Amino acid sequence: METSPSHRLAVLRAELARQGLDGLLVPRADAFLGEYVPPSAARLAWLTGFTGSAGLALVLRDRAVLFVDGRYTTQAAAETDPALWERRHLLDQPPAAFLKAEAPGARIGYDPWLHPQAALDRLAESGGTLVPLEGNPVDAVWADRPAPPAGQAVPHPLQFAGQDSGTKRAEAAAALREAGQDAAVLADAHAVAWLLNIRGDDLPHTPLALAMALLHADARVDLFLDPARADAALLAHLGNGVALRKPEALAGVLEGLAGRRVRLDAEVTPAWFGQRLRAAGAEVVAGEDPCRLPRACKNTVEQDGARAAHLRDAVALCRFLAWFAGAAPAGRETELSAAAKLLALRADGAHFVAESFPAISGAGENGAIIHYRATPETDRPIRADECYLIDSGAQYRDGTTDITRALWTGPGAPPAELAARYTMVLQGHLALSALRFPEGVAGVHLDALARQRLWAAGLDYDHGTGHGVGSFLSVHEGPAGISRAARPVPLKPGMILSNEPGLYLPGAYGIRIENLLLVRQATPLPGQAKPFLDFETLSWAPYDRRLIQGAMLSAAERAQVDAYHRAVAQRIGPLLPEEARGWLMQACAPLPKG
């Protein structure tokens, strides 16, 4: 049954009043705390209309506030009713500060399945009372809530995983024993997928079977997944070391850990686990999910898979760019038709499964919406002589891709200011790509390098410069990232991160240039006293030469662009149809001198 946004708020407030609450926190999360959620867990979107992948709503008796970060400020303004929802920047005025100033002493309810303890600790600084709830009040009033996913979980073959589950379990269990711990909670479905080499189709763009697990120090695993979702092939794949249990058995299994030391990652685990374990008499020990760092450091098979997947992806993208160069000036394509063309080309590639996220296909002013998603209602023509941004990727069984290019549609020349700003973004992108750095350096230390040209011109962008990327898992993966807000996690060989500086002029255009980078050991230099790392570029597609102001580039930057374009032409050219190959050779020609 369709209801209006105002009606949804009204019935939710009535439910809160019935429970004696002054307010409720509604995050963009499900019990697995992942970036993407199934329709059954899209509570924030149902309540507010905001469809971005990060945000938090606070519903009070007479006010309702939506908190989002800089990626979504424009989108939130477009998708929510200002008569119903106030909007706040998540970093400039975090929820705890808002509650302390605007609702001191309030009783605020929360669903302990949807908030990690670390987030609740920050909210507790408000001075109010946080009330854990047995049931979610949104679910109580969401009459037509979709059913949860019920697809099959399937093995992820060793030819793609590169390491068998038994070895992974043994190594993770050894880390627990070394720390004197008896078990670890694995509430992150990505950790379960990696540890047990299983995948699924519970989410449209991330190949997960949404499941939780408990890893014991003897390498046994309790897997909490509906047995109806596991066929004989999966049971054989899991083996005797993994006990398949119904999700309803989770509370009882945790109660059986009384007196045991249990590791719990407060950043990625619902607060419910810590509350239940402490009530059962277990000792909760803070520590990182033992799968998180090993998952981020891809093994050699996963690295080779990433290289192969990116080559196939580059063929699709370069075919798209060649087509776009001819189609765009005619003005007959739209944001949705262009995205559909690219998806069709990707689908031709071996091991293709799905997009790794909904393509961000933004023409003109829509490109300035950092995580824009074209819909039939917002879809607009791609016009001649404007900037078009396409940020897209794919899930292949051997790797996950993510790449962004900003393009000038032509046929005329781009404005000088646009080209200058594109070139500044490119300079930051190049600086990060070429960097050598000592072991122990974290992404938080590198973020400024991609911004230096923009900062010198009084410009900036309101998102991180890079995120981790999984191996046939999430396109956004922790624990490492390249951002001012990133945790100080040292970069390690095998990690795959994005390099995507940008610049956005609301109402006019967006610029972003993104490649994926693989962290590797750098070749030692004479006299080098300690190990250094550098990046191997995985993404292969030309930058738009029409938007590059060559006079702004140093000799080293010009050489770097020309060398990258030569590599694109050599690697991808022979794999393209003749017409697209001819376009690529021109797109990868050396930059004009002067």
Side-chain angles (χ1 to χ4, degrees), residues 500-564:
E500 51 181 310
L503 187 66
Y504 310 91
L505 184 61
Y509 58 78
I511 302 165
R512 188 160 63 251
I513 304 172
E514 177 187 19
N515 285 342
L516 296 193
L517 305 174
L518 173 66
V519 183
R520 64 185 181 185
Q521 293 285 347
T523 302
L525 298 175
Q528 183 175 307
K530 58 182 179 180
F532 271 62
L533 305 173
D534 64 7
F535 295 118
E536 174 188 342
T537 295
L538 296 174
S539 309
W540 303 105
Y543 309 120
D544 194 329
R545 295 167 73 255
R546 295 167 297 178
L547 287 167
I548 300 175
Q549 286 197 354
M552 293 177 59
L553 299 179
S554 68
E557 290 168 335
R558 180 188 295 272
Q560 189 178 349
V561 171
D562 286 346
Y564 176 75

Side-chain angles (χ1 to χ4, degrees), residues 134-217:
E134 285 295 325
N136 192 304
V138 173
D139 297 349
V141 299
W142 188 356
D144 56 350
R145 183 183 175 204
Q152 292 290 302
V154 298
H156 184 49
L158 190 61
Q159 72 178 98
F160 301 131
Q163 187 178 44
D164 67 89
S165 175
T167 301
K168 292 179 179 180
R169 288 190 284 111
E171 292 177 354
L176 295 181
R177 293 195 300 273
E178 185 177 351
Q181 297 161 1
D182 299 298
V185 170
L186 303 181
D188 181 355
H190 301 85
V192 178
W194 177 85
L195 182 68
L196 302 181
N197 287 342
I198 61 175
R199 299 293 191 269
D201 60 359
D202 288 353
L203 299 175
H205 306 287
T206 306
L208 288 177
L210 293 174
M212 296 178 178
L214 188 68
L215 170 67
H216 298 271

Side-chain angles (χ1 to χ4, degrees), residues 130-395:
L130 298 179
V131 183
L133 305 175
E134 285 295 325
N136 192 304
V138 173
D139 297 349
V141 299
W142 188 356
D144 56 350
R145 183 183 175 204
Q152 292 290 302
V154 298
H156 184 49
L158 190 61
Q159 72 178 98
F160 301 131
Q163 187 178 44
D164 67 89
S165 175
T167 301
K168 292 179 179 180
R169 288 190 284 111
E171 292 177 354
L176 295 181
R177 293 195 300 273
E178 185 177 351
Q181 297 161 1
D182 299 298
V185 170
L186 303 181
D188 181 355
H190 301 85
V192 178
W194 177 85
L195 182 68
L196 302 181
N197 287 342
I198 61 175
R199 299 293 191 269
D201 60 359
D202 288 353
L203 299 175
H205 306 287
T206 306
L208 288 177
L210 293 174
M212 296 178 178
L214 188 68
L215 170 67
H216 298 271
D218 60 2
R220 291 182 299 109
V221 168
D222 291 305
L223 172 62
F224 299 94
L225 178 74
D226 185 345
R229 304 182 62 192
D231 61 12
L234 182 69
L235 293 175
H237 166 78
L238 293 173
N240 295 330
V242 179
L244 185 64
R245 304 184 184 276
K246 294 181 178 180
E248 308 89 81
L250 177 57
V253 172
L254 294 185
E255 288 169 1
L257 295 174
R260 304 291 183 88
R261 303 184 78 235
V262 182
R263 181 187 297 195
L264 190 151
D265 189 331
E267 292 286 350
V268 298
T269 306
W272 179 88
F273 282 89
Q275 295 168 3
R276 184 56 64 106
L277 284 166
R278 291 184 180 94
E283 180 185 352
V284 175
V285 183
E288 186 166 79
D289 176 335
C291 302
R292 205 172 187 206
L293 186 59
R295 182 177 82 240
C297 299
K298 280 62 178 177
N299 59 50
T300 55
V301 170
E302 291 172 320
Q303 292 178 34
D304 286 342
R307 294 183 184 101
H310 278 81
L311 279 178
R312 293 194 302 275
D313 201 66
V315 170
L317 183 58
C318 288
R319 288 177 66 189
F320 168 82
L321 294 175
W323 166 83
F324 186 84
R332 290 190 293 269
E333 300 300 328
T334 72
E335 294 167 331
L336 285 179
S337 71
K341 176 70 173 181
L342 178 53
L343 175 57
L345 291 169
R346 279 195 166 109
D348 284 343
H351 304 313
F352 174 84
V353 174
E355 290 178 292
S356 53
F357 56 96
I360 299 170
S361 175
E365 71 283 354
N366 287 339
I369 303 173
I370 296 172
H371 274 196
Y372 173 70
R373 182 175 181 181
T375 67
E377 293 74 30
T378 66
D379 186 30
R380 82 155 179 80
I382 300 172
R383 304 185 181 102
D385 291 331
E386 69 176 357
C387 191
Y388 169 70
L389 187 147
I390 178 69
D391 182 349
S392 65
Q395 292 286 5

Side-chain angles (χ1 to χ4, degrees), residues 400-416:
T400 301
T401 69
D402 183 5
I403 185 168
T404 309
R405 290 294 183 265
L407 309 171
W408 179 248
T409 59

